[in-house]
Amino acid sequence: MSRAKLPRPTDAELAILRVLWDRGARTVREVHEALQDGGGYTTVLKTMQIMTEKGLVTRDESQRAHVYSARLPRESTQQQLVTDLVDRVFGGSPARLALQALSTKKTSPEELAELRQLLDSLEKESES
């Protein structure tokens, strides 16, 4: 799989990608039913066709109803979006992003423990 940077997905495209990540390969009809956002079938179809052209999804045309899959795993797309956000909005500083994110929304004790673990491991790596 190519490591080339894919275009940044729109909000509608991200909603479709979430369905494909959560449920695996799906037809347009299955994605449309899963979205339950009041949007029309043809809108979902057109969006998924555009996503195919952009390289965000792949399409299996071996069956009558084409089956679509996310081209990249959720984590790869998230990493690309966060990197872009850090560069564009936070001047390349992941710490500024983290501080802003943590001060904006309540963080659960489990998430805080996970963050502490990450910070500890990053600190150990920088000491090495």
Side-chain angles (χ1 to χ4, degrees):
M1 190 175 303
S2 169
R3 299 288 285 163
K5 186 174 178 182
L6 296 176
R8 187 175 32 213
T10 65
D11 289 347
E13 291 168 345
L14 277 172
I16 290 169
L17 285 170
R18 277 192 288 274
V19 170
L20 297 175
W21 288 324
D22 291 344
R23 301 178 182 205
R26 292 285 183 261
T27 64
V28 174
R29 181 158 315 286
E30 292 168 330
V31 170
H32 175 254
E33 290 169 0
L35 288 173
Q36 298 179 344
D37 63 358
Y41 172 85
T42 55
T43 301
V44 175
L45 171 63
K46 184 63 179 168
T47 302
M48 292 180 76
Q49 289 170 339
I50 292 168
M51 291 173 73
T52 302
E53 292 169 14
K54 291 168 79 173
L56 295 170
V57 297
T58 58
R59 178 175 54 213
D60 177 359
E61 300 176 7
S62 64
Q63 302 174 33
R64 185 172 183 269
H66 298 172
V67 178
Y68 291 79
S69 301
R71 179 161 177 237
L72 295 176
R74 181 188 314 254
E75 295 75 18
S76 296
T77 301
Q78 287 173 339
Q79 184 176 23
Q80 181 177 320
L81 290 172
V82 169
T83 299
D84 182 57
L85 182 65
V86 167
D87 290 344
R88 287 185 309 113
V89 179
F90 295 96
S93 172
R96 284 188 196 155
L97 169 67
L99 292 170
Q100 183 64 41
L102 291 170
S103 66
T104 303
K105 292 215 176 194
K106 185 159 174 53
T107 306
S108 73
E110 295 82 13
E111 291 171 322
L112 287 173
E114 201 175 331
L115 286 167
R116 280 188 192 94
Q117 259 186 321
L118 175 63
L119 290 172
D120 289 345
S121 83
L122 290 172
E123 197 170 65
K124 287 177 186 169
E125 282 179 21
S126 70
E127 292 171 357
S128 301

